[in-house]
């Protein structure tokens, strides 16, 4: 490698040379080695590879693969909202960089996809590159790894000094004995603490020469006025928005501490050095915390007093330290949310709560075929993948009075959507091609006695010919609005003493039928409502009341009429019928549940909290009732389902400059159709998860779209897994799911102006 020394000296030390070395021609492939997922996907058919220095951070380099356009192609793409023009990788040992040859003896560079799965690799095929250029590129990669690791210049290195960075395949496992996983950066496969972590030279703690032995850091003195549940050494990192990387701030002593002056359940996350305290954040669910056992990291969000959102990360040195800190934080958060001592929770409940932090792959009962998914995705691609334009409608039609949209409900029949705005309901028709058109308005919604009200909640009923309204001033009654006549025609008094706090259809697709009954809940009761009975409309034989105040908040039904009931406490109960005890009671994580939805089969439940979605598989996996669902049989006490948290990554939230506040999430739905997506919104963003990927454990596979207004509510068009109806504060529109983008700095920051057909609405 010494033959390159003079050449390296010319490019490595030139402060004006951002690019160290470049290979101008090649192809980029994504290679999956898994048995089911095996295959090669061409990412860029024409590309170039560059090793680029990061000017603002000493001893830091990036591997950049840039798409090369043929003449005329660039102009065609200029109008796209977001183009995938380059992929950037931090040069570090975690890349597991190596070289190879194709079957045609062409040189290749292979490296890990740190944001992908364990079986995914990138391969840059440098066809036509001569051997000296290939070897020079390889040497520069190893030098960049050396400088990053040791925070020192790679000048005057002997060839042997770079040997440690030449990747070696892992040794084959011997026998069936357990192996201990080394808690080191080289094992990293997650973005927050591996692919994205940057350490500025100002806070580098590693020696400038190869380290001989680690120096044990001292734990900073604790505050006697704030006793700690856990005290561990860690690295503190802050997300740098401009560079889209985590920058190391310092080696710290991290604590989960109790503040007695603030009350019995006032807990804080503290980080300090010998020089003093660096941060103190009150522990709450607004932190949007996320644990990664793979790289022993903990990320969270914090909104400063000035209103600026940041993303922080703690990275621990050892598995034991990570585990202890996670247990202490989870306990502190649970006590804060429940205002109840952790020790009084049952052991099974504690295990269920702790399991929500685990990185466990979820396996569906039926294996999904990734090959079929890929073919379907390819067939869906067309020229309309760019953002649809919503043309202005010159036809003059009825206009809606001033006000703000508050609710959205999507029709099951007749291609209609309905939007509540104060005491009025706007009717919108689905015109096709991902467009909606303002059709009519139902004004002055009022009781049969003429008292105008703004509906608290609405639900379509009886083949979309009726709409059931909840009046906040009359919580004991429901109101029947005849959609054709555009007025409330009946008041249904449910009970003299029991309030109706939420309603749901008799079953998942009851609104497609003439079914007259529906389901209601109060804060501590579940019951059936039948408007055909005389007097009060509650069916006495189908009524279940709990003695305690359970604070029920939402209810959903399966195709077979099974029920999932969630509460403000955060617990979820599963019933096979009204009037009986719950078959399954899942303990609360602590956050109030704002809405709940269930797949038609009842296999999956998604519950919405303010900062995350809780996904639960109701299939019983062991014990006497293996294969049954939690709606029909009880889970064994020691084998509760593992709840999965779907949440936005802390570094993505940092660009939003606001806390996460999800609207009730919904599966796409349709008779005879399998659910394959989940949609929700927060602030100005529509967010959708690929449910197929989520079931495989890829919880970060979400896409997002920003609007120039607050998103009130969104839902899939009935029977469609691509078209999403979106109600903004002042507009209503439809978008194709393909127009959502993977979260990047560009897609999170750029807003999309809505262009409703009838602007006055």
């Amino acid at each position: 490698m010494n033959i390159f020394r003079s050449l390296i000296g010319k490019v490595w030390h030139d402060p004006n040379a951002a690019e160290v070395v470049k290979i101008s021609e090649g192809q980029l492939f994504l290679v999956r080695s898994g048995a089911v997922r095996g295959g090669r996907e061409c990412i860029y058919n024409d590309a170039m590879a560059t090793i680029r220095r990061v000017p603002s951070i000493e001893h830091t380099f990036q591997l950049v693969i840039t798409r090369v356009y043929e003449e005329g192609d660039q102009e065609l793409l200029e109008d796209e909202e977001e183009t995938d023009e380059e992929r950037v990788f931090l040069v570090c040992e975690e890349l597991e960089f190596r070289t190879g040859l194709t079957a045609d003896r062409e040189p290749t560079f292979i490296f890990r996809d740190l944001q992908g799965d364990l079986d995914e690799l990138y391969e840059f095929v440098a066809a036509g590159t001569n051997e000296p250029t290939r070897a020079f590129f390889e040497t520069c990669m190893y030098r960049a790894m050396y400088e990053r690791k040791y925070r020192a210049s790679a000048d005057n290195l002997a060839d042997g000094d770079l040997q440690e960075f030449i990747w070696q395949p892992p040794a084959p496992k011997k026998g069936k004995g357990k192996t201990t996983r080394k808690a080191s950066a080289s094992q990293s496969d997650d973005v927050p603490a591996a692919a994205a972590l940057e350490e500025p030279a100002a806070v580098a703690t590693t020696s400038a020469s190869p380290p001989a032995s680690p120096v044990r850091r001292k734990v900073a003195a604790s505050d006697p006025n704030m006793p700690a549940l856990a005290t561990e050494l860690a690295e503190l990192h802050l997300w740098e928005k401009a560079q889209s990387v985590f920058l190391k701030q310092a080696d710290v002593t991290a604590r989960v501490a109790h503040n007695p002056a603030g009350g019995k359940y006032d807990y804080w996350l503290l980080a300090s050095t010998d020089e003093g305290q660096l941060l103190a954040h009150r522990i709450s669910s607004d932190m949007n915390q996320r644990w990664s056992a793979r790289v022993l990291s903990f990320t969270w969000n914090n909104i400063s007093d000035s209103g600026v959102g940041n993303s922080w990360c703690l990275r621990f040195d050892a598995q034991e330290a990570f585990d202890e800190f996670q247990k202490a934080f989870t306990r502190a958060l649970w006590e804060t949310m429940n205002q109840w001592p952790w020790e009084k929770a049952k052991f099974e409940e504690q295990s269920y709560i702790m399991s929500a932090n685990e990185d466990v792959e979820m396996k569906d009962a039926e294996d999904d075929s990734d090959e079929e998914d890929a073919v379907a995705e390819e067939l869906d691609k067309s020229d309309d993948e760019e953002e649809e334009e919503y043309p202005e409608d010159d036809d003059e039609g009825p206009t809606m009075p001033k006000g703000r949209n508050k609710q959205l409900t999507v029709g099951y029949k007749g291609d209609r959507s309905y939007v509540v705005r104060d005491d009025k309901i706007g009717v919108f028709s689905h015109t096709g091609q991902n467009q909606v058109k303002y059709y009519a308005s139902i004004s002055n919604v009022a009781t049969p006695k003429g008292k105008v009200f703004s509906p608290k909640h609405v639900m379509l009923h009886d083949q979309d010919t009726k709409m059931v309204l909840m009046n906040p001033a009359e919580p004991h009654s429901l109101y029947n609005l005849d959609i054709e006549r555009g007025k409330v025609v009946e008041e249904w008094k449910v009970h003299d003493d029991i309030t109706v706090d939420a309603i749901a259809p008799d079953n998942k697709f009851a609104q497609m039928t003439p079914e007259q009954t529906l389901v209601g809940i109060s804060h501590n009761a579940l019951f059936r409502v039948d408007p055909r009975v005389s007097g009060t409309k509650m069916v006495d034989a189908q009524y279940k009341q709990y003695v305690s105040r359970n604070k029920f908040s939402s209810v959903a039904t399966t195709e077979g009429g099974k029920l999932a009931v969630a509460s403000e406490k955060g617990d979820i109960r599963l019933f096979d019928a009204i009037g009986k005890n719950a078959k399954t009671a899942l303990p609360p994580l602590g956050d109030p549940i704002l809405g709940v939805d269930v797949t038609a089969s009842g296999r999956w439940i998604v519950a919405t909290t303010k900062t995350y979605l809780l996904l639960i598989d109701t299939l019983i996996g062991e014990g006497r009732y293996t294969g049954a669902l939690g709606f029909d049989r009880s889970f064994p006490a020691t084998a509760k389902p593992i709840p999965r948290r779907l949440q936005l990554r802390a570094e993505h939230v940092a660009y939003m400059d606001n806390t996460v506040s999800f609207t009730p999430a919904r599966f796409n739905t349709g008779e005879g159709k399998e659910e394959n997506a989940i949609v929700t919104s927060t602030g100005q963003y529509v967010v959708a998860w690929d449910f197929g990927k989520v079931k495989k454990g890829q919880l970060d596979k979400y896409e997002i779209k920003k609007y120039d207004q607050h998103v009130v509510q969104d839902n899939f068009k009935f029977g469609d897994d691509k078209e999403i109806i979106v109600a903004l504060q002042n507009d209503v529109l439809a978008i194709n799911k393909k127009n959502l983008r993977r979260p990047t700095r560009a897609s999170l920051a750029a807003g999309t102006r809505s262009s409703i057909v009838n602007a006055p609405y």
Side-chain angles (χ1 to χ4, degrees):
M1 293 184 185
N2 286 326
I3 62 174
F4 303 123
R5 193 174 302 279
S6 61
L7 180 58
I8 287 176
K10 294 179 181 179
V11 300
W12 204 268
H13 303 295
D14 183 359
N16 298 318
E19 297 179 353
V20 176
V21 61
K22 177 193 295 184
I23 293 180
S24 301
E25 296 183 6
Q27 292 177 293
L28 180 66
F29 294 89
L30 182 62
V31 182
R32 298 183 176 92
S33 58
V36 177
R37 297 162 53 84
R40 286 162 57 90
E41 176 186 354
C42 183
I43 305 299
Y44 300 148
N45 192 47
D46 295 296
M48 60 182 179
T50 308
I51 298 177
R52 177 197 299 167
R53 70 176 73 248
V54 180
S56 60
I57 307 176
E58 193 176 2
H59 307 303
T60 302
F61 299 82
Q62 296 172 328
L63 172 60
V64 183
I65 310 297
T66 307
R67 180 179 177 182
V68 177
Y69 296 97
E70 296 182 4
E71 185 177 356
D73 286 353
Q74 184 68 46
E75 288 74 10
L76 293 175
L77 296 170
E78 285 181 351
D79 294 331
E80 287 194 5
E81 179 182 298
E82 176 185 355
T83 57
D84 185 19
E85 294 184 347
E86 69 176 24
R87 302 206 175 186
V88 181
F89 309 89
L90 177 70
V91 179
C92 56
E93 287 182 282
E94 289 88 347
L95 282 182
E96 298 181 5
F97 176 84
R98 73 211 73 162
T99 62
L101 294 173
T102 67
D104 297 328
R105 310 298 295 175
E106 296 288 359
T108 67
F109 302 113
I110 302 169
F111 48 95
R112 284 278 313 281
D113 177 14
L114 295 176
Q115 298 189 43
D117 293 337
L118 291 174
D119 64 343
E120 293 183 343
L121 296 169
Y122 279 110
E123 180 180 14
F124 183 83
V125 179
T129 300
N130 57 41
E131 176 57 23
T133 303
R134 183 211 63 78
F136 180 65
F137 193 95
E138 179 184 8
T139 302
C140 289
M141 283 290 295
Y142 297 145
R143 287 173 63 93
M145 292 180 195
Y146 179 95
E147 291 207 3
R148 170 166 174 77
K149 181 173 182 179
Y150 296 117
R151 296 296 172 191
S153 172
D155 293 344
N156 303 318
L157 290 179
D159 291 351
D161 294 330
L162 298 178
Q163 288 296 316
E164 65 174 294
F165 301 103
I166 299 177
W167 181 81
Q168 300 293 333
K173 295 182 180 180
K174 296 181 180 180
K176 297 183 179 180
K178 294 183 178 179
T179 58
T180 303
R181 177 166 183 159
K182 183 179 177 183
S184 66
S186 61
Q187 299 276 343
S188 301
D189 52 24
D190 204 9
V191 175
L197 288 178
E198 298 282 358
E199 301 178 10
V203 295
T205 58
T206 309
S207 171
S209 58
S213 61
V215 178
R216 183 174 180 83
R217 294 186 279 118
K218 183 174 67 175
V219 176
S222 61
D223 184 351
N225 296 320
M226 295 185 68
L229 275 65
T231 301
E232 302 293 346
L233 297 175
E235 296 175 355
L236 178 65
H237 300 260
L238 176 64
W239 183 254
E240 170 54 49
K241 298 179 185 178
Q243 301 178 46
S244 296
V245 292
F246 273 109
L247 298 181
K248 182 177 178 181
Q249 305 300 299
D251 293 312
V252 300
T253 299
R255 293 186 178 87
V256 175
H258 175 225
N259 177 28
K264 188 175 181 179
Y265 303 111
D266 185 29
Y267 292 98
W268 290 73
L269 174 63
L270 309 175
S272 58
T273 64
D274 291 336
E275 287 71 32
Q277 188 165 281
L278 296 184
L279 64 79
H281 295 164
R282 186 189 297 273
I283 292 177
S284 73
S285 59
D286 285 341
M287 297 176 76
N288 189 39
Q289 73 279 357
R290 183 178 185 273
W291 302 90
S292 177
R294 295 175 177 176
V295 290
L296 308 182
S297 69
F298 169 55
T299 57
W300 74 97
N301 291 112
N302 177 257
I303 303 295
S304 67
D305 294 336
S306 60
V308 177
N310 291 310
S311 177
W312 295 85
C313 174
L314 286 173
R315 191 176 185 189
F316 300 90
D317 296 329
Q319 184 72 51
E320 182 179 359
F322 173 85
D323 292 341
E324 291 303 314
F325 202 83
Q326 183 187 70
K327 290 176 183 177
F329 183 93
T330 303
R331 169 185 170 174
L333 179 61
W334 189 89
E335 289 191 357
T336 299
M337 300 301 298
N338 290 276
Q339 296 290 294
W340 190 254
W342 175 256
E343 293 79 7
K344 292 190 176 182
K346 297 179 181 178
F347 174 76
E348 294 81 6
E349 294 179 354
Q350 293 181 357
S351 299
Y352 174 82
I353 294 162
M354 288 294 181
S355 70
N357 296 320
E358 296 177 8
D359 289 334
V360 178
E361 180 178 356
M362 297 179 294
K363 296 185 180 295
D364 201 357
E366 299 179 2
D367 292 331
D368 294 328
S369 171
D370 279 351
E371 288 80 1
E372 292 180 3
D373 293 344
V375 171
E377 183 176 344
E378 192 67 28
L379 291 175
D380 282 340
K381 292 181 178 179
S382 61
D383 295 336
D384 63 356
E385 285 194 356
E386 297 184 17
E387 181 69 23
E388 287 100 338
E389 295 292 334
Y390 299 96
E392 295 289 340
D393 190 348
D394 295 331
D395 295 337
E396 293 187 4
T399 60
M400 285 288 289
K402 293 181 179 180
R404 291 187 180 275
N405 299 330
K406 296 181 179 178
Q407 295 178 58
L408 166 73
T409 185
V410 178
Y412 281 59
K413 301 184 72 174
D415 283 337
R416 293 281 192 272
S417 287
Y418 302 85
V419 177
V420 177
R421 174 180 284 194
D422 297 329
D423 61 347
K424 305 157 190 71
I425 299 174
V427 184
F428 293 82
S429 60
H430 305 163
T431 62
Q433 297 181 343
N434 300 314
Q435 294 187 30
V436 295
K437 181 178 180 179
Y438 175 57
Y439 179 76
S441 174
I442 300 174
S443 301
N444 300 319
V445 174
T447 67
K449 296 180 181 179
K451 189 172 182 179
V452 175
F453 68 94
S454 176
K456 169 188 172 183
H457 178 71
V458 300
M459 185 186 80
L460 290 167
H461 188 56
D462 192 4
Q463 303 178 86
D464 287 2
T465 62
K466 302 174 183 176
M467 183 179 289
V468 181
L469 312 180
M470 295 175 60
N471 181 356
E474 297 290 344
H476 300 277
S477 297
L478 297 173
Y479 293 87
N480 173 22
L481 183 143
D482 187 311
I483 292 180
E484 291 298 324
R485 296 171 60 183
K487 64 179 295 185
V488 173
V489 294
E490 287 182 290
E491 176 182 353
W492 298 337
K493 185 66 171 291
V494 176
H495 198 276
D496 292 329
D497 302 316
I498 298 173
T499 62
V500 184
D501 296 336
I503 55 176
D506 170 75
N507 62 73
K508 187 78 171 179
F509 304 118
Q511 286 133 313
M512 300 284 290
T513 72
E515 173 64 42
Q516 295 298 304
T517 68
L518 58 143
V519 176
I521 58 172
S522 69
H523 67 88
N524 67 339
L526 171 65
F527 48 84
R528 183 173 301 281
V529 177
D530 188 345
R532 298 168 298 187
V533 301
S534 59
T536 55
K537 307 302 180 182
M538 180 184 293
V539 179
D540 293 336
Q542 297 190 56
Y543 167 69
K544 173 65 180 178
Q545 184 175 26
Y546 289 83
V547 176
S548 60
R549 184 174 176 83
N550 291 291
K551 297 185 178 180
F552 291 152
S553 59
S554 56
V555 57
T557 52
T558 70
E559 185 175 10
K562 312 295 174 64
L563 305 103
V565 180
S567 79
E568 294 179 12
K569 294 181 178 180
D571 54 4
I572 300 174
R573 290 175 169 84
L574 308 182
F575 298 83
D576 65 344
I578 301 176
K580 299 180 180 179
N581 290 329
K583 294 293 184 181
T584 297
L586 302 176
L589 299 187
D591 296 277
I593 293 178
L594 308 176
V596 66
D597 195 17
V598 62
T599 57
S601 66
R603 172 70 187 273
W604 298 93
I605 295 171
V606 61
T608 305
T609 72
K610 183 174 183 289
T611 57
Y612 62 89
L613 310 182
L614 196 63
L615 185 69
I616 298 169
D617 185 354
T618 69
L619 184 70
I620 299 174
E622 61 180 78
R624 179 181 177 185
Y625 300 116
T626 299
L629 298 182
F631 289 94
D632 303 308
R633 298 291 183 179
S634 298
F635 280 88
T638 57
K640 297 284 188 184
I642 297 177
R644 293 287 127 237
R645 294 166 63 114
L646 304 183
Q647 59 190 120
L648 304 184
R649 296 185 72 99
E651 53 269 36
H652 296 159
V653 177
Y655 292 111
M656 298 179 178
D657 285 333
N658 213 329
T659 56
V660 176
S661 183
F662 284 127
T663 59
R666 295 287 181 260
F667 294 105
N668 67 291
T669 187
E671 287 187 300
K673 293 183 178 293
E674 184 177 356
E675 297 84 358
N676 55 27
I678 300 171
V679 68
T680 182
S681 64
T682 175
Q684 296 174 269
Y685 299 87
V686 171
V687 188
W689 273 264
D690 184 321
F691 188 40
K693 293 179 180 178
V694 167
K695 287 188 288 187
K696 296 183 177 72
Q698 301 176 44
L699 307 186
D700 288 339
K701 297 299 183 182
Y702 58 85
E703 295 176 309
I704 202 162
K705 189 172 186 63
K706 183 180 181 182
Y707 287 93
D708 61 347
Q709 299 178 37
H710 184 86
V711 180
V712 174
Q713 204 169 343
D714 55 4
N715 200 351
F716 284 100
K717 178 182 175 182
F718 181 77
D720 196 319
D721 61 356
K722 296 180 177 62
E723 186 170 341
I724 303 173
I725 310 300
V726 181
L728 306 177
Q729 282 185 327
N730 294 303
D731 294 345
V732 180
L733 49 85
I735 60 170
N736 193 301
K737 184 173 174 289
K738 291 188 295 185
N739 290 318
L740 274 64
R741 297 286 186 260
R742 60 186 178 88
T744 63
R745 181 182 176 189
S747 62
L748 290 167
T752 298
R753 290 192 60 83
S754 57
S755 49
I756 182 75
V757 178
N758 191 288
Y761 183 84

